[in-house]
mmCIF file of all heavy atoms in Angstrom:
data_model
loop_
_atom_site.group_PDB
_atom_site.id
_atom_site.type_symbol
_atom_site.label_atom_id
_atom_site.label_comp_id
_atom_site.label_asym_id
_atom_site.label_seq_id
_atom_site.Cartn_x
_atom_site.Cartn_y
_atom_site.Cartn_z
ATOM 1 N N GLU A 135 11.714 0.089 -26.967
ATOM 2 C CA GLU A 135 10.901 1.302 -27.067
ATOM 3 C C GLU A 135 11.714 2.517 -26.623
ATOM 4 O O GLU A 135 12.785 2.395 -26.018
ATOM 5 C CB GLU A 135 9.651 1.165 -26.197
ATOM 6 C CG GLU A 135 8.713 0.045 -26.613
ATOM 7 C CD GLU A 135 7.370 0.132 -25.923
ATOM 8 O OE1 GLU A 135 7.275 -0.279 -24.747
ATOM 9 O OE2 GLU A 135 6.414 0.616 -26.560
ATOM 10 N N THR A 136 11.207 3.717 -26.900
ATOM 11 C CA THR A 136 11.874 4.939 -26.456
ATOM 12 C C THR A 136 10.850 6.036 -26.213
ATOM 13 O O THR A 136 9.789 6.075 -26.847
ATOM 14 C CB THR A 136 12.906 5.425 -27.493
ATOM 15 O OG1 THR A 136 13.580 6.583 -26.972
ATOM 16 C CG2 THR A 136 12.253 5.802 -28.815
ATOM 17 N N ALA A 137 11.182 6.930 -25.276
ATOM 18 C CA ALA A 137 10.370 8.119 -25.041
ATOM 19 C C ALA A 137 11.085 9.374 -25.528
ATOM 20 O O ALA A 137 10.566 10.480 -25.360
ATOM 21 C CB ALA A 137 10.045 8.253 -23.546
ATOM 22 N N PHE A 138 12.270 9.212 -26.127
ATOM 23 C CA PHE A 138 12.968 10.371 -26.693
ATOM 24 C C PHE A 138 12.206 10.896 -27.912
ATOM 25 O O PHE A 138 11.463 10.161 -28.558
ATOM 26 C CB PHE A 138 14.392 9.982 -27.084
ATOM 27 C CG PHE A 138 15.361 10.017 -25.933
ATOM 28 C CD1 PHE A 138 15.370 9.009 -24.985
ATOM 29 C CD2 PHE A 138 16.255 11.063 -25.787
ATOM 30 C CE1 PHE A 138 16.250 9.037 -23.920
ATOM 31 C CE2 PHE A 138 17.148 11.107 -24.728
ATOM 32 C CZ PHE A 138 17.145 10.086 -23.783
ATOM 33 N N ASN A 139 12.411 12.180 -28.185
ATOM 34 C CA ASN A 139 11.787 12.838 -29.337
ATOM 35 C C ASN A 139 10.260 12.759 -29.292
ATOM 36 O O ASN A 139 9.598 12.660 -30.320
ATOM 37 C CB ASN A 139 12.306 12.228 -30.643
ATOM 38 C CG ASN A 139 13.812 12.301 -30.757
ATOM 39 O OD1 ASN A 139 14.406 13.338 -30.478
ATOM 40 N ND2 ASN A 139 14.434 11.189 -31.123
ATOM 41 N N ASN A 140 9.725 12.802 -28.071
ATOM 42 C CA ASN A 140 8.269 12.792 -27.862
ATOM 43 C C ASN A 140 7.612 11.503 -28.370
ATOM 44 O O ASN A 140 6.437 11.481 -28.736
ATOM 45 C CB ASN A 140 7.601 14.011 -28.506
ATOM 46 C CG ASN A 140 6.266 14.346 -27.867
ATOM 47 O OD1 ASN A 140 6.025 14.052 -26.693
ATOM 48 N ND2 ASN A 140 5.375 14.956 -28.635
ATOM 49 N N GLU A 141 8.362 10.399 -28.395
ATOM 50 C CA GLU A 141 7.786 9.105 -28.743
ATOM 51 C C GLU A 141 6.932 8.597 -27.583
ATOM 52 O O GLU A 141 7.043 9.070 -26.452
ATOM 53 C CB GLU A 141 8.904 8.092 -29.052
ATOM 54 C CG GLU A 141 9.738 8.418 -30.268
ATOM 55 C CD GLU A 141 9.125 7.915 -31.562
ATOM 56 O OE1 GLU A 141 8.184 7.097 -31.499
ATOM 57 O OE2 GLU A 141 9.597 8.335 -32.632
ATOM 58 N N ARG A 142 6.087 7.612 -27.877
ATOM 59 C CA ARG A 142 5.234 7.004 -26.855
ATOM 60 C C ARG A 142 5.591 5.529 -26.710
ATOM 61 O O ARG A 142 6.016 4.877 -27.671
ATOM 62 C CB ARG A 142 3.752 7.147 -27.228
ATOM 63 C CG ARG A 142 3.263 8.603 -27.251
ATOM 64 C CD ARG A 142 3.241 9.154 -25.812
ATOM 65 N NE ARG A 142 2.817 10.541 -25.763
ATOM 66 C CZ ARG A 142 3.645 11.569 -25.772
ATOM 67 N NH1 ARG A 142 4.947 11.356 -25.890
ATOM 68 N NH2 ARG A 142 3.199 12.801 -25.680
ATOM 69 N N VAL A 143 5.405 4.996 -25.498
ATOM 70 C CA VAL A 143 5.661 3.575 -25.251
ATOM 71 C C VAL A 143 4.330 2.858 -25.023
ATOM 72 O O VAL A 143 3.330 3.465 -24.626
ATOM 73 C CB VAL A 143 6.603 3.358 -24.048
ATOM 74 C CG1 VAL A 143 7.922 4.070 -24.265
ATOM 75 C CG2 VAL A 143 5.955 3.801 -22.743
ATOM 76 N N LYS A 144 4.329 1.550 -25.284
ATOM 77 C CA LYS A 144 3.118 0.744 -25.115
ATOM 78 C C LYS A 144 3.069 0.039 -23.762
ATOM 79 O O LYS A 144 1.989 -0.278 -23.272
ATOM 80 C CB LYS A 144 3.015 -0.288 -26.236
ATOM 81 C CG LYS A 144 2.788 0.336 -27.607
ATOM 82 C CD LYS A 144 2.660 -0.719 -28.708
ATOM 83 C CE LYS A 144 2.338 -0.066 -30.045
ATOM 84 N NZ LYS A 144 2.205 -1.059 -31.144
ATOM 85 N N PHE A 145 4.245 -0.223 -23.196
ATOM 86 C CA PHE A 145 4.279 -0.971 -21.937
ATOM 87 C C PHE A 145 4.957 -0.154 -20.842
ATOM 88 O O PHE A 145 6.032 -0.485 -20.360
ATOM 89 C CB PHE A 145 4.975 -2.323 -22.135
ATOM 90 C CG PHE A 145 4.135 -3.316 -22.888
ATOM 91 C CD1 PHE A 145 4.200 -3.384 -24.273
ATOM 92 C CD2 PHE A 145 3.257 -4.160 -22.223
ATOM 93 C CE1 PHE A 145 3.418 -4.283 -24.978
ATOM 94 C CE2 PHE A 145 2.473 -5.059 -22.908
ATOM 95 C CZ PHE A 145 2.540 -5.130 -24.296
ATOM 96 N N GLY A 146 4.289 0.955 -20.460
ATOM 97 C CA GLY A 146 4.756 1.724 -19.328
ATOM 98 C C GLY A 146 4.464 0.973 -18.036
ATOM 99 O O GLY A 146 3.367 0.458 -17.849
ATOM 100 N N ALA A 147 5.453 0.890 -17.154
ATOM 101 C CA ALA A 147 5.291 0.252 -15.839
ATOM 102 C C ALA A 147 4.542 -1.075 -15.914
ATOM 103 O O ALA A 147 3.499 -1.248 -15.287
ATOM 104 C CB ALA A 147 4.574 1.207 -14.891
ATOM 105 N N PRO A 148 5.041 -2.059 -16.675
ATOM 106 C CA PRO A 148 4.297 -3.311 -16.826
ATOM 107 C C PRO A 148 4.225 -4.115 -15.535
ATOM 108 O O PRO A 148 5.165 -4.116 -14.732
ATOM 109 C CB PRO A 148 5.108 -4.063 -17.887
ATOM 110 C CG PRO A 148 6.496 -3.527 -17.744
ATOM 111 C CD PRO A 148 6.335 -2.084 -17.387
ATOM 112 N N HIS A 149 3.100 -4.794 -15.341
ATOM 113 C CA HIS A 149 2.899 -5.670 -14.184
ATOM 114 C C HIS A 149 2.462 -7.049 -14.663
ATOM 115 O O HIS A 149 1.677 -7.169 -15.613
ATOM 116 C CB HIS A 149 1.853 -5.100 -13.236
ATOM 117 C CG HIS A 149 2.330 -3.910 -12.458
ATOM 118 N ND1 HIS A 149 2.318 -2.636 -12.980
ATOM 119 C CD2 HIS A 149 2.856 -3.804 -11.213
ATOM 120 C CE1 HIS A 149 2.811 -1.795 -12.078
ATOM 121 N NE2 HIS A 149 3.148 -2.478 -11.005
ATOM 122 N N PHE A 150 2.962 -8.082 -13.984
ATOM 123 C CA PHE A 150 2.537 -9.438 -14.299
ATOM 124 C C PHE A 150 1.091 -9.653 -13.861
ATOM 125 O O PHE A 150 0.684 -9.176 -12.797
ATOM 126 C CB PHE A 150 3.423 -10.470 -13.591
ATOM 127 C CG PHE A 150 4.786 -10.619 -14.189
ATOM 128 C CD1 PHE A 150 5.892 -10.016 -13.608
ATOM 129 C CD2 PHE A 150 4.967 -11.375 -15.342
ATOM 130 C CE1 PHE A 150 7.154 -10.156 -14.161
ATOM 131 C CE2 PHE A 150 6.225 -11.525 -15.914
ATOM 132 C CZ PHE A 150 7.318 -10.906 -15.325
#
Side-chain angles (χ1 to χ4, degrees):
E135 297 192 281
T136 183
F138 277 76
N139 303 315
N140 203 27
E141 295 275 347
R142 295 291 179 266
V143 302
K144 293 181 176 180
F145 286 90
H149 287 83
F150 286 101

